[in-house]
Amino acid sequence: MSIAAVRTHRLSAPLHTPFVTALRRTTTVETLVVEVVDEDGRSGFGEAPQVWQVTGASIDGSRACVHEMLGPLIAGRDADDPNARCAEIQRAVAGNEAAKAAVDTALHDLAARRLGVPLVRLLGGTRRRVPTDVTVSAGDAVDLAATARHRAADGFTVLKLKVGTDAAGDLDRVRAVRAAVGPGVRIRLDANQGWTPREAVRVIRGIEDAGLDVELVEQPVAHWDLDGLAWVSDRVDVPILADESVFGPRDLVEVIRRRAADLVNVKLAKAGGLRPARALLDLAAAHGVGTLVGSMMESQIGVGAAASLVAAYGTTVVPDLDAAWWLAWSPVRGGMRYDGATVVLPDAPGLGVKGIDEAKIQPRA
């Protein structure tokens, strides 16, 4: 059965609460949904989130890549061989990881739908429930403590605090949150490249000396500064998680070679899809590097794909899959849902997405 059409839909949906990091502040999810359709009219879905400050991907750029390069490449080809199609799209263009991820996910979703099995089964797993952390947006110590208290009351037991906006005050922020939630809640930090190496060591050592029990610190320094990342890792006891420093295998090889981080955050929109993300997880495992699967600010399409990957492959720490939880509403019908601090995958073919509410997006045939 051949691929009959490749379509894109621009999706914009509001968040119920602003999402604030050291890199950006956003009140919406802006993403490109890719729909791959077979000759029987079945559709598979993927998405390419717009994240200027991290991946550099834009909706217009991803749409151009899909319509001018990736779509024509797979049109008319076998819909039942996602591995071959995904290998082809990886070679077709340089960069454009978000666009590649969207097409890769849509191909996997379509293949699973054609087999009548959930995506997680296509990937080799059976689990339908995956735990997640929840992010606490950057702010002052009082705001972070209040938000953390609310999130813990919502049932989340792993909180990711966004820090890095003000190194001088970050220790007080962590101290306030720990006092607010007590010892039963796990705390991890994400500086989003906001510290210098010296600031990172100073803050993390302060956290250690204060006994604040932080699980890990994500991307403390600039993505390009692997020497700085390694310098920090060598001088603190809290595990260091590389995120923006690792997009593909070559990046991870360099992090491993330099012993720059203890864990890696694998995201479909950085890696280029499920196929390369699996390769990153395998590479990390082979070298004793811890793993976490995360996502950008995405709908239930991207989060469902990432959760399916976790359900099939596992990670060494609780994944970061709260992105769709932030949505006030979504044009995407069906797909994954949240049950407290758990992502629940649907017992339905593929991602279980039933369609897109066309009245809330800008379609392009």
Side-chain angles (χ1 to χ4, degrees):
M1 182 67 67
S2 297
I3 294 167
V6 179
R7 304 177 183 135
T8 61
H9 313 270
R10 181 170 186 146
L11 183 155
S12 179
L15 306 182
H16 56 67
T17 309
F19 185 84
V20 185
T21 77
L23 290 175
R24 65 175 182 144
R25 181 184 189 276
T26 185
T27 57
T28 60
V29 165
E30 303 289 337
T31 191
L32 184 76
V33 173
V34 173
E35 181 182 4
V36 177
V37 187
D38 70 11
E39 292 176 313
D40 285 340
R42 280 176 292 226
S43 294
F45 296 93
E47 71 175 294
Q50 177 171 279
V51 194
W52 290 105
Q53 299 87 347
V54 179
T55 63
S58 69
I59 290 177
D60 288 341
S62 293
R63 183 163 53 191
C65 182
V66 171
H67 282 284
E68 296 177 22
M69 296 296 296
L70 305 184
L73 178 67
I74 64 173
R77 307 296 297 279
D78 185 1
D80 293 321
D81 193 354
N83 277 336
R85 301 291 80 75
C86 291
E88 291 164 358
I89 66 171
Q90 291 299 323
R91 295 191 296 265
V93 295
N96 288 279
E97 287 84 6
K100 291 176 180 177
V103 176
D104 171 296
T105 299
L107 287 166
H108 281 88
D109 184 27
L110 179 59
R113 287 171 187 266
R114 289 179 50 76
L115 291 171
V117 300
L119 177 59
V120 64
R121 292 294 300 274
L122 183 72
L123 298 176
T126 59
R127 294 167 56 198
R128 290 183 49 230
R129 298 178 66 89
V130 176
T132 182
D133 67 4
V134 70
T135 296
V136 177
S137 283
D140 62 30
V142 174
D143 288 342
L144 260 69
T147 301
R149 192 179 296 110
H150 289 312
R151 298 294 176 259
D154 289 337
F156 289 97
T157 59
V158 184
L159 304 180
K160 182 164 85 166
L161 310 187
K162 291 292 188 178
V163 294
T165 56
D166 166 33
D170 279 336
L171 176 57
D172 288 338
R173 292 180 175 90
V174 179
R175 185 182 284 114
V177 170
R178 176 54 74 198
V181 301
V185 173
R186 203 175 311 166
I187 295 175
R188 52 179 59 162
L189 308 183
D190 186 359
N192 284 113
Q193 312 178 58
W195 295 328
T196 67
R198 289 187 183 278
E199 286 173 338
V201 170
R202 184 164 59 249
V203 173
I204 297 170
R205 282 183 175 172
I207 288 167
E208 292 171 346
D209 291 343
L212 297 177
D213 190 22
V214 165
E215 176 192 21
L216 57 87
V217 175
E218 184 172 359
Q219 200 62 47
V221 302
H223 69 92
W224 49 264
D225 190 6
L226 290 187
D227 287 338
L229 190 64
W231 192 84
V232 173
S233 294
D234 192 47
R235 285 162 176 78
V236 299
D237 293 326
V238 174
I240 300 300
L241 169 68
D243 180 9
E244 292 95 332
S245 290
V246 177
F247 277 54
R250 290 183 180 84
D251 300 327
L252 181 53
V253 166
E254 194 62 18
V255 166
I256 293 169
R257 188 183 70 81
R258 300 189 191 201
R259 300 183 184 276
D262 304 286
L263 308 98
V264 61
N265 189 341
V266 176
K267 296 177 179 176
L268 303 187
K270 289 191 305 170
L274 288 161
R275 188 173 184 268
R278 284 180 285 172
L280 286 173
L281 293 175
D282 287 339
L283 178 61
H287 290 271
V289 174
T291 54
L292 178 153
V293 169
S295 69
M296 304 301 179
M297 293 307 290
E298 304 177 43
S299 77
Q300 54 264 50
I301 294 172
V303 175
S308 297
L309 177 65
V310 174
Y313 275 69
T315 54
T316 60
V317 297
V318 171
D320 178 26
L321 299 174
D322 65 325
W325 175 88
W326 289 77
L327 289 169
W329 52 262
S330 174
V332 179
R333 290 183 281 110
M336 54 70 60
R337 63 180 178 85
Y338 292 96
D339 178 14
T342 301
V343 175
V344 181
L345 297 169
D347 187 14
L351 289 168
V353 172
K354 298 175 182 177
I356 309 294
D357 187 340
E358 296 290 344
K360 298 179 181 178
I361 60 173
Q362 301 174 32
R364 175 175 173 179

